[in-house]
Amino acid sequence: MKTTVIALVLLIIIGFIPFRQHASIDIGANYFDVCQQFISANNWKRWQPDIRNEYNLTKQDKSVADSSGFLINTPEQTFKVEIINANTFKVIRTLNHIDHEYFYTVIPGSKNNTTTVMVDVKNNVGKWFLLKLSSSGSILNIPEELKSFMENARLYYGFNIREKNVDESYLAVKKETILAKNKYPDMAKAVKELHSFITQNNIQALPGLFSVGYPRKTDSLQLLVGITVDKKLNSTGDITLMHMPGGKVLVGNYKGKYSERQQLYNAMEKYLRDHILQKQVAPFEKYLDNKTPTGDDDIVNMQLNYPVL
C-alpha cells in the first residue's frame, strides 16, 4: 500500500515537470498573408476548423478584444490570441478546462512565396499526455490547419485556380466596337457569324468559345468573340484567324450569375500578386457550355484564362 501511494505521488510530481517544445512548419504562401491570418479573429474563423464548424455559436469576447488581441469562444474550447508584435503571437487554447500556451513566430521562408511558422510551447508531462489523447495532439496542429487552408486555392481564394501549360491553338475571331447596352445580342450575333464562317471554309470547330471586352468609352466597348478551330486559314472580311502560342496559363473556374463573375477576376488578380506571375495579355473568358450569356442574371459555367509568364 505504501509503495502504491509513493508511486502515485511520484506520478503526480512527474506530471507537473515543465519543459518546452519547439517545431516549425513551411507554408506555401507569402509572409504578409500568413501574418494576417493570425492577427484577425474573422480570419481565424476562415481557417481553424473547430471555430469554423461552430461558426453560428462562435463569438468574439468584446471585453478582451482590443488592439493587442482577442478571445474567441466556442462550446468546446476557447482561443485567446495576444498580438506580441507584427509577427509574433501568443495563443492560449483552453480545451477540457486545461490551458495550452503556444507562441507562434512568422518569418519569411527560404524560397519565394513561402513562409515559416516557428512554434514554441510551454508544457508539462501531464498536459502533454492529455493532449496526445485528443485530436489536437501535435504542437503543429494549428499551423498545419493554416497550411492546409492557405495552400488550397479553393479554400483560400474561394475558387478552383490552377496553373497549367497549354498547346498552341487557332482561333476564328470576330472583333468589333459595340454599344455596351447591346453586348449580349451582339455576342450571340458574333457566334452565329463565326459558325457560318467555319462551315463555309470547311474547317472544324473545337471545344472552346471565348470572349473578351475592352471598355472604350462610357457607352461602348471593343468586343472579341472567338471559337477554337482545327487549322489556320487566311483572315477574311471582319473575321480574323489568330494563332495562340502555347505556354503557361492561369485558369480559374466559376459557376454562377454572369454579373457576379468579378469575384473570380479579383481572386485571380490576388493569386497573380501572391505567386509573382506576370500577365502576358488581357484575360479572356471561356464558356464551358459553348454558349454565351444572354443577360446579367444568366447562370454561366465559365473558365477565366490569364496567359502568364
Side-chain angles (χ1 to χ4, degrees):
M1 181 65 179
K2 184 177 180 181
T3 303
T4 302
V5 171
I6 293 173
L8 182 60
V9 171
L10 287 174
L11 284 174
I12 293 173
I13 293 172
I14 291 172
F16 284 96
I17 295 176
F19 66 96
R20 299 188 78 92
Q21 291 177 275
H22 306 277
S24 65
I25 187 170
D26 292 326
I27 298 177
N30 71 61
Y31 164 79
F32 176 78
D33 283 345
V34 173
C35 287
Q36 288 301 304
Q37 301 312 308
F38 280 107
I39 211 167
S40 162
N42 286 331
N43 282 342
W44 275 73
K45 292 178 183 179
R46 292 182 64 207
W47 62 266
Q48 212 291 322
D50 294 333
I51 300 174
R52 185 175 64 244
N53 294 340
E54 300 288 350
Y55 185 82
N56 292 330
L57 299 175
T58 301
K59 64 178 182 178
Q60 183 177 347
D61 191 328
K62 299 297 184 182
S63 65
V64 298
D66 55 31
S67 60
S68 64
F70 49 87
L71 174 67
I72 298 177
N73 290 303
T74 75
E76 301 296 328
Q77 58 190 311
T78 64
F79 294 81
K80 183 178 181 181
V81 180
E82 182 181 346
I83 303 168
I84 306 299
N85 55 45
N87 71 327
T88 304
F89 310 89
K90 175 182 176 181
V91 178
I92 298 178
R93 184 179 193 177
T94 304
L95 184 65
N96 297 322
H97 307 289
I98 299 175
D99 291 342
H100 303 276
E101 185 174 281
Y102 306 84
F103 286 86
Y104 299 102
T105 302
V106 183
I107 61 174
S110 57
K111 298 180 181 179
N112 286 337
N113 203 48
T114 63
T115 300
T116 298
V117 178
M118 302 176 66
V119 186
D120 180 53
V121 180
K122 288 183 177 180
N123 220 335
N124 62 45
V125 174
K127 284 185 179 181
W128 174 86
F129 180 74
L130 290 173
L131 201 59
K132 282 293 182 183
L133 298 178
S134 75
S135 60
S136 307
S138 169
I139 67 169
L140 287 173
N141 177 255
I142 288 177
E144 282 173 347
E145 291 163 347
L146 179 58
K147 176 182 174 71
S148 296
F149 170 76
M150 299 201 73
E151 293 183 355
N152 184 313
R154 183 183 61 80
L155 294 177
Y156 183 57
Y157 296 98
F159 298 93
N160 286 319
I161 300 173
R162 66 192 187 281
E163 300 170 39
K164 71 173 188 178
N165 290 312
V166 298
D167 296 329
E168 67 174 4
S169 61
Y170 299 99
L171 291 179
V173 177
K174 174 68 181 294
K175 177 181 177 181
E176 59 182 331
T177 300
I178 64 170
L179 291 174
K181 65 180 182 180
N182 296 333
K183 174 181 176 180
Y184 297 114
D186 283 348
M187 287 175 72
K189 180 183 175 184
V191 172
K192 288 183 180 179
E193 292 180 15
L194 287 167
H195 278 298
S196 177
F197 172 85
I198 289 169
T199 301
Q200 292 172 11
N201 287 275
N202 197 30
I203 55 178
Q204 182 180 354
L206 302 177
L209 173 60
F210 302 87
S211 82
V212 59
Y214 302 94
R216 285 301 185 194
K217 298 179 181 179
T218 56
D219 63 345
S220 63
L221 57 87
Q222 187 175 79
L223 176 69
L224 284 80
V225 177
I227 295 177
T228 306
V229 294
D230 63 339
K231 58 185 176 182
K232 184 179 180 180
L233 292 177
N234 292 327
S235 299
T236 177
D238 57 356
I239 293 179
T240 303
L241 271 292
M242 296 178 58
H243 171 241
M244 299 293 289
K248 186 160 69 171
V249 177
L250 182 68
V251 299
N253 288 75
Y254 171 82
K255 189 170 186 178
K257 283 187 178 182
Y258 187 66
S259 61
E260 297 176 2
R261 72 196 186 286
Q262 186 62 42
Q263 300 171 54
L264 177 58
Y265 278 88
N266 295 341
M268 292 184 70
E269 290 287 344
K270 177 169 173 49
Y271 187 103
L272 289 168
R273 295 192 298 271
D274 290 347
H275 294 80
I276 319 175
L277 296 174
Q278 183 179 349
K279 288 182 283 188
Q280 288 184 292
V281 295
F284 53 90
E285 299 173 1
K286 177 180 181 181
Y287 307 108
L288 301 179
D289 295 330
N290 277 318
K291 59 181 182 180
T292 57
T294 59
D296 286 349
D297 292 333
D298 261 15
I299 301 299
V300 295
N301 183 16
M302 59 168 272
Q303 183 183 85
L304 187 57
N305 296 259
Y306 279 78
V308 294
L309 293 174

